[in-house]
Amino acid sequence: MALMSQDDLTDLAAKGNVQLMAHELAHQWWGVTLGIRSWSDFWLNEGFAEFMSDAYIEKHQGRAAYDMQIADLWARMKKLREEGKDRPLHWEKWKDTHEALGPIPYVKEALFLARLRMELGDEIFWRGSVCTRPATRAGWWTPEISSGRWKKRAPAI
């Protein structure tokens, strides 16, 4: 959380919201160390941070707590769809954060990652994810980089 202001850190600590702290800490990797090439990929920063905060909850509070987090995300996604607010995660014409923001990058990408984890299984998912690769260097990344890594590291079926 080195890149957060002292006021933000104080406010975050005062709230005692462990999940929000985990989300912001995750941005030290997804968003700071690994940046995005354009605002079209903004969902990668927020979706990974959202998902990792849920994974942190699972690690420290158990699978049932994680499952509740994912169920909450599904309920939020359902409401967004009912309100007509669903949209693609990636769109080439976004030019800044204002256009790319909103709840969809957080909710939809976290649900995508939860589903990917379920489909691949924990071993392949965590072995193939960017977070467990010490050889991964700082720089830019795109969805193609991630999907290629999972593809390369997944055993043949």
Side-chain angles (χ1 to χ4, degrees):
M1 298 207 225
L3 298 178
M4 294 183 76
S5 72
Q6 187 59 46
D7 289 342
D8 288 340
L9 284 172
T10 302
D11 184 49
L12 195 57
K15 289 178 183 173
N17 185 334
V18 174
Q19 187 165 12
L20 180 58
M21 288 183 214
H23 177 101
E24 295 305 329
L25 186 58
H27 277 308
Q28 299 301 300
W29 185 253
W30 293 281
V32 176
T33 304
L34 291 178
I36 54 175
R37 288 184 191 263
S38 75
W39 289 113
S40 300
D41 292 322
F42 178 71
W43 58 277
L44 290 167
N45 292 350
E46 294 305 336
F48 264 97
E50 185 74 20
F51 174 78
M52 291 308 295
S53 69
D54 295 332
Y56 179 85
I57 294 295
E58 177 184 18
K59 180 77 172 163
H60 293 279
Q61 296 178 14
R63 183 61 187 227
Y66 169 83
D67 289 341
M68 285 177 38
Q69 295 297 122
I70 299 304
D72 180 59
L73 289 172
W74 277 113
R76 288 170 58 196
M77 190 68 223
K78 181 181 181 209
K79 184 176 183 208
L80 289 166
R81 285 184 175 140
E82 288 169 353
E83 294 171 351
K85 295 180 180 176
D86 192 7
R87 60 178 169 81
L89 287 171
H90 178 89
W91 191 50
E92 290 294 332
K93 296 185 181 183
W94 287 328
K95 294 178 178 52
D96 58 33
T97 55
H98 179 71
E99 291 181 356
L101 271 173
I104 292 294
Y106 299 80
V107 176
K108 198 172 193 177
E109 170 64 4
L111 287 171
F112 168 76
L113 290 168
R115 178 62 184 241
L116 186 62
R117 178 184 178 192
M118 185 180 74
E119 293 291 327
L120 294 176
D122 280 348
E123 182 182 349
I124 293 170
F125 178 81
W126 291 114
R127 198 172 23 147
S129 80
V130 178
C131 64
T132 59
R133 300 265 302 149
T136 301
R137 294 185 305 256
W140 306 115
W141 74 310
T142 63
E144 294 80 19
I145 293 170
S146 305
S147 62
R149 179 161 296 137
W150 270 307
K151 186 185 285 183
K152 280 194 298 193
R153 296 177 60 82
I157 298 176

